[in-house]
Amino acid sequence: ANTAFSQGIFSDVMSGKLIAPEVGVFAWYELKDTATGKKLYMRQAIVGQKEVKGKDGFYLETEVMPEVGYPIIYKMLLTGPASDPANVHEIVVKDGTQPVEHIPLDALKQTEGEQEQALRESLGKETVTTPAGDIEAEHFTLTEGDNISEVWLNESIRPMGIVKLVSPEGELFLTRYGKGGPDAESSLERKLKEQETDDIKVEVNAAPSRNFSGKPDKKE
């Protein structure tokens, strides 16, 4: 999961904002790496809520899974787009079998001046065909330096509204979305509970659904 492709996609995704944030919403995506042809899978979910200095903060968990191997999990407490370090209040990362790591927020401040703000331009609404069905979405271009990406957004696809994203490294597209159930639970917390109970069966039974049938969750 630690490829340049997945890191680039993660950066593009996190430059957006939460859409009508609500604990329990989730979306699954398939990622294709243009250079290698490899696939990755990404799940995003709002797995908790916490007040931060009078503002509503939401725990956004992003889990990136390779076809073979262990996932990397990012859990961030946000009060706005993660592209602005002022909106990021906690960062927790678990890379494969490595211990959970709490990332100091100072690391974001050190790179704040190095980041360019992406310029966004709307190209109008289009119908996008995905495994989750045909979805009407607004098409934007994102220009950051010499890199140009394209993203299609629909506010009904929470937590971040992303239907499709195409970057120089590859593309990401929605496979399904919904609210509640195992897909809305924190994989990070589940793994922590497994370590406490030392019960291997829990990991198998509680694993997030990987049914990429393309059918939207009926609860959405």
Side-chain angles (χ1 to χ4, degrees):
N2 278 320
T3 63
F5 164 61
S6 64
Q7 291 172 0
I9 287 288
F10 182 76
S11 176
D12 285 339
V13 166
M14 297 312 296
S15 68
K17 63 180 180 179
L18 299 178
I19 304 295
E22 180 183 3
V23 176
V25 296
F26 68 86
W28 275 100
Y29 298 90
E30 184 175 305
L31 297 81
K32 291 184 178 180
D33 186 340
T34 300
T36 65
K38 291 183 178 180
K39 291 182 181 179
L40 300 169
Y41 301 101
M42 185 178 82
R43 177 186 63 91
Q44 284 199 303
I46 297 182
V47 298
Q49 184 173 353
K50 180 179 179 181
E51 185 175 322
V52 182
K53 298 179 181 178
K55 295 182 179 181
D56 289 331
F58 293 89
Y59 283 101
L60 175 67
E61 185 169 284
T62 301
E63 182 175 14
V64 181
M65 300 180 175
E67 288 188 288
V68 177
Y70 295 97
I72 182 169
I73 303 166
Y74 304 86
K75 185 177 178 182
M76 309 174 75
L77 178 60
L78 305 175
T79 53
S83 54
D84 182 351
N87 295 325
V88 184
H89 306 278
E90 294 179 30
I91 307 174
V92 177
V93 178
K94 180 170 175 53
D95 189 351
T97 59
Q98 299 299 312
V100 173
E101 182 179 3
H102 293 263
I103 306 299
L105 298 181
D106 290 344
L108 294 179
K109 296 179 181 179
Q110 291 173 2
T111 60
E112 183 176 8
E114 303 172 4
Q115 297 176 345
E116 295 185 53
Q117 187 66 36
L119 299 177
R120 177 179 294 195
E121 179 183 0
S122 174
L123 301 180
K125 292 187 177 181
E126 301 175 3
T127 298
V128 181
T129 299
T130 75
D134 290 343
I135 300 174
E136 186 177 38
E138 188 165 3
H139 183 187
F140 293 90
T141 58
L142 303 175
T143 304
E144 187 173 0
D146 295 330
N147 293 326
I148 299 177
S149 300
E150 296 179 85
V151 63
W152 288 258
L153 302 176
N154 180 307
E155 292 190 354
S156 67
I157 311 300
R158 298 183 292 168
M160 299 194 74
I162 299 172
V163 177
K164 182 179 178 180
L165 190 152
V166 177
S167 77
E169 295 86 7
E171 65 179 70
L172 168 152
F173 57 89
L174 179 73
T175 56
R176 63 191 187 89
Y177 61 97
K179 180 181 176 183
D183 292 316
E185 298 174 359
S186 172
S187 293
L188 188 63
E189 292 180 0
R190 185 178 67 247
K191 292 177 186 299
L192 289 175
K193 290 178 182 178
E194 289 162 11
Q195 292 172 2
E196 293 172 0
T197 60
D198 196 27
D199 185 353
I200 297 177
K201 292 183 180 180
V202 175
E203 181 176 358
V204 176
N205 295 335
S209 170
R210 296 196 182 191
N211 173 27
F212 298 103
S213 62
K215 296 181 180 180
D217 192 303
K218 298 296 183 181
K219 297 181 181 180
E220 179 64 23

